[in-house]
Amino acid sequence: MGGKSGFVPPLELRPQPHTRCAECHVRALALFKGVPEEHLEPTQRFRSAQLVVAPQGRIYLEGEPNPNYYTLYEGWVMLYKSLGNGKRQILRFALPGDFLGFQRDVNGPMTHSAMAMTPVTLCCFPKEIARDMFAASPDLATRLASINARQYELCELHLLATGRKSAIERIAFLLLELFHRCRALELTQGNALQLPIAQEDMADATGLTPVHVNRMLRQLREKGMIDYRDRRLVVLDGPAMATLANFNQSFVEEAALL
Amino acid sequence: MGGKSGFVPPLELRPQPHTRCAECHVRALALFKGVPEEHLEPTQRFRSAQLVVAPQGRIYLEGEPNPNYYTLYEGWVMLYKSLGNGKRQILRFALPGDFLGFQRDVNGPMTHSAMAMTPVTLCCFPKEIARDMFAASPDLATRLASINARQYELCELHLLATGRKSAIERIAFLLLELFHRCRALELTQGNALQLPIAQEDMADATGLTPVHVNRMLRQLREKGMIDYRDRRLVVLDGPAMATLANFNQSFVEEAALL
DNA sequence: CGGGTATTTGACGACTGTCAACGCCAGTGG
DNA sequence: CCACTGGCGTTGACAGTCGTCAAATACCCG
């Protein structure tokens, strides 16, 4: 189960932060799509910075304050909550374009942790600047609310799956969700997808154990629905998977595109 | 499990809708707390109405469009998602003061259903009016985003519980959550609370079966932590419950108070 | 080659689900 | 007044999905 023992590589700020960090925002991030350039300027003028984090590196930790928001530019990030006994629940996998660090109690301790699963590039900017930006651009605030609402609905979907679906259905659902989100970002090769996550991570995302995840992957393989070796997923029978998992493709696709 | 057979009492609009429905908003609903009166006026001038729904009555249904938002004035409402095979996951229990019907895709079909668990009184107002109100009052929009963010975090807590806690821990958590939310609304009598929910509902909220919920209630009783008869909960040992359930009281209390 | 991590598999156990019976209670109709 | 019915709660017996433990394999990297 959870609890990778405590190695946490320090966060590294690039020595020479991008001068035009907004470019990655505008290019990659739904949040800023179509927002007038002048509303973004403050981000640049103050101390926006690009952050690079190695795999296993923590971006922020549950229970600790965190002064920044982040837009994920490249790589995979997992957001998770921990229980005292070492158990862990992955809340979601963040992909390029996602917005991280937002929570209701802006200045309070974070309610979850964020860890890089691959080498990760983030644009980070202080919350007070973000606040000014949101104040200056109601459109931006609306966008943020919309993004958050969608994440919320995705969380509800996961709650439904975890509470009321069998192990094999949950795994099928997770794989389909990741596949379709990645396809929308053009991170797939045909019907194949290289995943950066261990089976233990799938377990922590679905509420199962690593051993049982392994068994379910084998079952899906034996049913001819997927191929899975060396973390490379090939979806062989998407429709059958979708039926099995009660998976509605449209929802997740929208979610990625926003 | 889920799937009460299909009786759905029709929604009833009161023949004489409150002329000052805003009063219940302002009194009961965090959303409108402290918002300038003139921003609320449109709600009244147009066709805000009070809605009364009998127990088991559906307020809106997953998959169907719904033109209104609602503020819950009195009674309990459950929000849930259904699976094809009759299984059901309760997403949350809404209490007086809660805001219902908001979702990202404003005009699309609802992503979940809402059912009254008690006689329920709602203030309902059309989404287009709400939109104007939010446009007129950025403060109001911020408030909505904040409320939504908190519901989101509560959903994440439930995901953690459902994915990574044992049956007895989940039941303890659910009971504590309901108790503390109700206490913040002064719906408790001392350390007692009359719940309007069946054990089957607890099951659908925690991802268990009704039979097993019953066994867990008995265990909690045998441990001396609660008394539970005729849907009346008495919390005998809150601290022990909180430890068992990994329950952080402050979070849920804030949630109720906003 | 050695050590560490991830995956895979088997054996076993237990937590939770399933099925069924019974009791209680309220409502209903004869 | 009293069967009859349906919903809910309670309990027991049993089954099975899933967790636990352990060992073997594979792989990576120094």
Side-chain angles (χ1 to χ4, degrees):
Chain A
M1 212 132 312
K4 319 256 185 191
S5 52
F7 174 65
V8 179
L11 303 182
E12 319 153 17
L13 274 187
R14 275 219 178 150
Q16 302 272 325
H18 272 188
T19 48
R20 301 280 310 147
C21 184
E23 275 180 23
C24 35
H25 291 159
V26 175
R27 263 194 295 154
L29 182 59
L31 180 59
F32 296 97
K33 217 173 270 173
V35 170
E37 185 72 9
E38 62 270 24
H39 289 151
L40 298 176
E41 281 305 318
T43 319
Q44 277 55 66
R45 272 207 294 277
F46 296 93
R47 49 207 170 91
S48 154
Q50 198 173 43
L51 188 64
V52 174
V53 182
Q56 312 297 318
R58 267 56 168 194
I59 297 157
Y60 50 80
L61 282 178
E62 185 178 354
E64 299 187 355
N66 167 39
N68 297 311
Y69 294 126
Y70 307 87
T71 61
L72 179 53
Y73 184 51
E74 200 174 356
W76 288 52
V77 170
M78 70 157 74
L79 309 185
Y80 65 96
K81 275 176 173 294
S82 298
L83 242 28
N85 50 14
K87 288 179 181 172
R88 179 179 75 163
Q89 174 71 40
I90 293 180
L91 303 172
R92 64 182 174 107
F93 295 104
L95 299 180
D98 273 0
F99 186 72
L100 307 182
F102 179 75
Q103 63 181 21
R104 203 206 78 95
D105 185 357
V106 172
N107 297 310
M110 296 304 294
T111 61
H112 63 267
S113 306
M115 184 180 83
M117 317 201 57
T118 64
V120 151
T121 309
L122 303 136
C123 293
C124 91
F125 50 102
K127 287 178 175 175
E128 63 262 25
I129 289 178
R131 193 196 48 211
D132 296 343
M133 289 170 64
F134 291 132
S137 174
D139 201 44
L140 201 57
T142 307
R143 204 76 59 87
L144 174 63
S146 178
I147 288 179
N148 212 48
R150 178 159 297 285
Q151 299 298 348
Y152 182 8
E153 285 166 28
L154 206 43
C155 182
E156 291 182 332
L157 266 188
H158 289 151
L159 181 58
L160 172 64
T162 307
R164 286 297 180 217
K165 290 181 185 170
S166 70
I168 195 169
E169 291 165 350
R170 288 185 237 172
I171 295 299
F173 188 91
L174 175 67
L175 294 180
L176 278 183
E177 179 198 330
L178 292 177
F179 180 79
H180 282 102
R181 286 177 65 197
C182 286
R183 192 169 67 173
L185 294 172
E186 300 178 1
L187 295 173
T188 53
Q189 304 91 41
N191 58 351
L193 167 63
Q194 186 63 44
L195 290 168
I197 70 182
Q199 292 179 14
E200 180 177 351
D201 301 323
M202 294 189 206
D204 285 336
T206 53
L208 301 168
T209 55
V211 176
H212 207 61
V213 167
N214 186 280
R215 290 192 276 244
M216 295 304 105
L217 288 172
R218 175 152 53 92
Q219 279 195 28
L220 288 174
R221 209 180 304 130
E222 287 168 356
K223 288 176 188 285
M225 292 185 180
I226 64 166
D227 188 66
Y228 187 86
R229 282 198 318 267
D230 299 330
R231 301 185 181 181
R232 181 180 173 84
L233 168 70
V234 183
V235 178
L236 297 176
D237 191 344
M241 294 265 286
T243 302
L244 173 64
N246 210 287
F247 178 86
N248 183 337
Q249 181 172 334
S250 64
F251 181 86
V252 174
E253 276 184 344
E254 288 176 65
L257 298 173
L258 198 72
Chain B
M1 213 135 314
K4 320 257 181 187
S5 54
F7 173 64
V8 178
L11 303 182
E12 318 151 18
L13 273 186
R14 276 222 176 145
Q16 303 274 325
H18 272 187
T19 48
R20 301 282 308 149
C21 184
E23 276 179 24
C24 37
H25 291 158
V26 174
R27 261 194 298 154
L29 182 58
L31 179 58
F32 297 99
K33 216 172 273 173
V35 171
E37 184 73 7
E38 63 269 23
H39 289 152
L40 297 176
E41 281 304 318
T43 320
Q44 277 55 64
R45 272 207 293 279
F46 295 94
R47 48 207 171 89
S48 152
Q50 197 174 43
L51 189 64
V52 174
V53 183
Q56 311 298 317
R58 267 52 169 196
I59 296 158
Y60 50 80
L61 282 178
E62 184 179 354
E64 298 185 356
N66 167 39
N68 297 311
Y69 294 126
Y70 308 88
T71 62
L72 180 51
Y73 183 50
E74 200 174 355
W76 287 53
V77 169
M78 70 157 73
L79 309 185
Y80 64 96
K81 276 175 172 291
S82 299
L83 242 27
N85 50 14
K87 288 179 181 172
R88 180 179 73 162
Q89 173 71 39
I90 294 180
L91 303 172
R92 64 182 173 107
F93 295 103
L95 299 179
D98 273 2
F99 187 71
L100 307 181
F102 179 75
Q103 63 179 20
R104 204 206 78 94
D105 185 356
V106 172
N107 296 309
M110 296 305 293
T111 61
H112 63 268
S113 305
M115 184 179 84
M117 316 201 59
T118 65
V120 152
T121 309
L122 304 135
C123 292
C124 90
F125 49 101
K127 288 178 175 174
E128 63 263 23
I129 290 178
R131 192 196 49 212
D132 296 344
M133 289 170 63
F134 291 131
S137 173
D139 201 44
L140 201 56
T142 306
R143 204 78 59 88
L144 174 62
S146 177
I147 288 179
N148 212 49
R150 178 159 296 285
Q151 299 299 347
Y152 182 9
E153 284 165 29
L154 206 42
C155 182
E156 291 181 332
L157 266 188
H158 289 152
L159 181 57
L160 171 65
T162 307
R164 285 297 180 221
K165 290 182 185 169
S166 70
I168 195 168
E169 291 165 351
R170 288 185 238 174
I171 295 298
F173 188 90
L174 175 68
L175 294 181
L176 278 183
E177 179 197 332
L178 293 177
F179 180 79
H180 282 102
R181 286 177 65 197
C182 286
R183 192 168 68 172
L185 294 171
E186 300 178 1
L187 296 173
T188 52
Q189 305 91 42
N191 57 352
L193 168 63
Q194 186 63 42
L195 291 168
I197 71 181
Q199 292 180 14
E200 180 177 349
D201 301 322
M202 294 189 205
D204 286 336
T206 53
L208 300 168
T209 56
V211 175
H212 206 61
V213 168
N214 187 282
R215 291 193 276 242
M216 296 304 105
L217 288 172
R218 176 153 53 93
Q219 280 196 26
L220 288 174
R221 210 179 305 131
E222 288 168 353
K223 287 176 189 285
M225 293 185 181
I226 65 167
D227 188 67
Y228 187 86
R229 282 197 319 267
D230 299 330
R231 301 186 180 178
R232 180 180 173 86
L233 168 70
V234 182
V235 178
L236 297 176
D237 191 345
M241 294 265 287
T243 303
L244 174 63
N246 211 284
F247 179 84
N248 183 335
Q249 182 172 333
S250 66
F251 181 86
V252 173
E253 276 184 344
E254 288 176 66
L257 300 172
L258 197 71

